[in-house]
Amino acid sequence: MKNLRSTIALAIFYLAVLAPFSAPVLAQTSAAPAPTLAPGPKPPDVSPEWKQLVGLYGPTRKPSVTILERDQKLLWLADERESEIFPDSRDITKFLLAYGLTFVIEKDPSGEVTQLTVPGRDSPLLRADAGSDPTRFYHINPSRPIEQLRAAALAAHPPTEPGPFRKPDLVELATLDPAFHLDIRYATANDFLQTPVYTQARAFLQRPAAEALVRVLHKLQPLGFGLLIHDAYRPWYVTKIFWDATPPEGRIFVADPKQGSRHNRGCAADLTLYDLATGQPIQMPGSYDEMSSRSFPTFPGGTSLQRWHRDLLRRAMESEGFTVNESEWWHFDYKDWPEYPILNIPFERLNKRPNAIRK
């Protein structure tokens, strides 16, 4: 009886004193794991020869054939129908299509695939995208010298907006974290106009957007990635230069200065991933500023690994209030963009302190 009373006393003591402290531990161990940024298991890479072949072929304005890789198989996508090609062979000089045709791959001296010769077609299928060398395509010859376009843009005025708006608070990203790497293309000749447009290679965002981007960076670093910034705040006059220099058929990729750009509001960033171990940019299904369907964030082509990286970037950005542009996988708008005015402050008037603007 004495032992029974002791057992009952211990049980009461546990229920009254220990159980309230142990219950949260039990609940914590049974909770669902936190969601991951990764868009599924990371797929393996493919050979350089396969990556040179993957792309768009046919007329430049409307390519008729897409070659892509999925699950370690090359696929031929034409007229919205997929056919698997050479599933059991790594020889890409000649191979059998699912419907019994062979084609020959033509390359330039650098190894880039330039065209496919397909029996039964009247003419070769020319590559219609930038391949892995964006300097070969998508350059626009401005209608006038860039300095003339700049002078006209600086003399113009942004559209009038009723407001009210938040007070601008532009922060220079390079001052927030050294893991932000910069490749400000519009400050170099390696842009679609083939000439520098920015006078300084700098990147600014409104403070809430900048702080959100820091959080994105810190989420990606444990996965081995950093953020490479191509563009952020853009003075309005530069948007006008881009519009005036671009032919009508290419204007889907540039903003109308009559409406202004979210870049002009300091709430948009053009960026990609880089490898923390090597510092090298990560390959995506298409190139930055490429004027083709490879730029669409839902483009089905490329390789499985390239699409995985593109989708990882999107998931990370969306987790902190950014939204991807429907035409550009690299362009993300921060959720607060309607609350800021269109700005036309040149970089020269932005000092290097995080939140000061010279008036």
Side-chain angles (χ1 to χ4, degrees):
M1 181 65 69
K2 182 177 180 181
N3 289 339
L4 178 61
R5 285 199 298 269
S6 299
T7 301
I8 294 172
L10 285 172
I12 293 172
F13 176 78
Y14 173 81
L15 293 172
V17 178
L18 297 181
F21 293 95
S22 60
V25 175
L26 292 174
Q28 184 176 8
T29 57
S30 62
T36 177
L37 286 179
K42 188 175 181 179
D45 204 355
V46 298
S47 69
E49 290 79 15
W50 278 31
K51 283 189 279 191
Q52 288 175 339
L53 176 61
V54 164
L56 303 174
Y57 297 88
T60 302
R61 299 302 176 195
K62 192 176 181 181
S64 56
V65 170
T66 301
I67 296 181
L68 62 138
E69 178 272 332
R70 186 189 303 137
D71 300 328
Q72 295 290 289
K73 298 175 181 177
L74 283 179
L75 300 177
W76 167 285
L77 177 60
D79 301 323
E80 300 183 355
R81 293 181 302 170
E82 285 186 358
S83 299
E84 188 176 304
I85 52 180
F86 65 94
D88 302 317
S89 172
R90 294 301 183 264
D91 179 7
I92 68 167
T93 57
K94 285 188 176 182
F95 49 83
L96 186 66
L97 297 181
Y99 43 86
L101 294 176
T102 59
F103 63 84
V104 179
I105 299 168
E106 304 291 338
K107 297 184 179 182
D108 64 17
S110 70
E112 279 292 309
V113 175
T114 58
Q115 66 183 47
L116 306 176
T117 302
V118 183
R121 290 182 178 262
D122 294 335
S123 59
L125 290 171
L126 301 180
R127 180 179 281 277
D129 60 45
S132 59
D133 182 6
T135 63
R136 296 171 58 231
F137 293 91
Y138 306 113
H139 289 158
I140 292 173
N141 293 317
S143 56
R144 289 180 288 165
I146 194 68
E147 290 309 317
Q148 291 183 18
L149 292 172
R150 187 192 307 278
L154 287 171
H157 298 283
T160 301
E161 300 180 293
F165 296 109
R166 290 190 194 180
K167 183 179 179 181
D169 185 15
L170 292 172
V171 181
E172 188 157 19
L173 295 178
T175 68
L176 300 182
D177 196 306
F180 284 125
H181 287 188
L182 301 185
D183 178 16
I184 308 300
R185 295 286 184 86
Y186 301 138
T188 74
N190 186 19
D191 62 22
F192 73 102
L193 294 178
Q194 305 177 77
T195 187
V197 181
Y198 287 170
T199 54
Q200 298 177 347
R202 302 169 72 185
F204 299 84
L205 285 177
Q206 301 290 355
R207 183 173 296 277
E211 292 173 348
L213 200 61
V214 171
R215 294 192 294 271
V216 173
L217 174 66
H218 292 170
K219 288 181 177 181
L220 288 167
Q221 285 174 317
L223 301 178
F225 301 106
L227 288 174
L228 178 65
I229 312 299
H230 289 311
D231 196 21
Y233 162 67
R234 180 185 304 160
W236 177 84
Y237 80 88
V238 176
T239 295
K240 182 165 174 57
I241 291 175
F242 289 168
W243 183 264
D244 292 343
T246 303
E249 62 270 17
R251 284 179 174 172
I252 184 178
F253 296 102
V254 294
D256 185 346
K258 293 180 181 178
Q259 304 296 323
S261 165
R262 295 169 193 182
H263 282 289
N264 303 151
R265 302 176 190 274
C267 286
D270 293 350
L271 43 73
T272 188
L273 301 174
Y274 74 87
D275 188 322
L276 286 178
T278 66
Q280 295 300 307
I282 295 297
Q283 284 190 336
M284 297 293 186
S287 302
Y288 172 63
D289 255 3
E290 179 174 324
M291 295 182 184
S292 82
S293 60
R294 295 203 312 177
S295 296
F296 300 155
T298 56
F299 174 62
T303 71
S304 299
L305 184 58
Q306 290 167 354
R307 293 190 301 274
W308 188 90
H309 284 132
R310 180 194 65 191
D311 295 346
L312 171 65
L313 174 64
R314 179 175 179 174
R315 288 166 66 97
M317 294 293 287
E318 289 178 345
S319 74
E320 291 295 340
F322 290 88
T323 302
V324 71
N325 182 278
E326 63 182 7
S327 299
E328 300 172 341
W329 61 260
W330 59 83
H331 176 132
F332 293 88
D333 299 315
Y334 189 60
K335 61 185 177 67
D336 292 346
W337 71 264
E339 300 180 26
Y340 290 92
I342 292 173
L343 299 175
N344 198 25
I345 306 169
F347 287 169
E348 293 86 351
R349 291 176 54 198
L350 295 172
N351 68 18
K352 294 187 178 181
R353 293 196 303 274
N355 67 344
I357 299 177
R358 292 177 183 169
K359 299 294 185 181

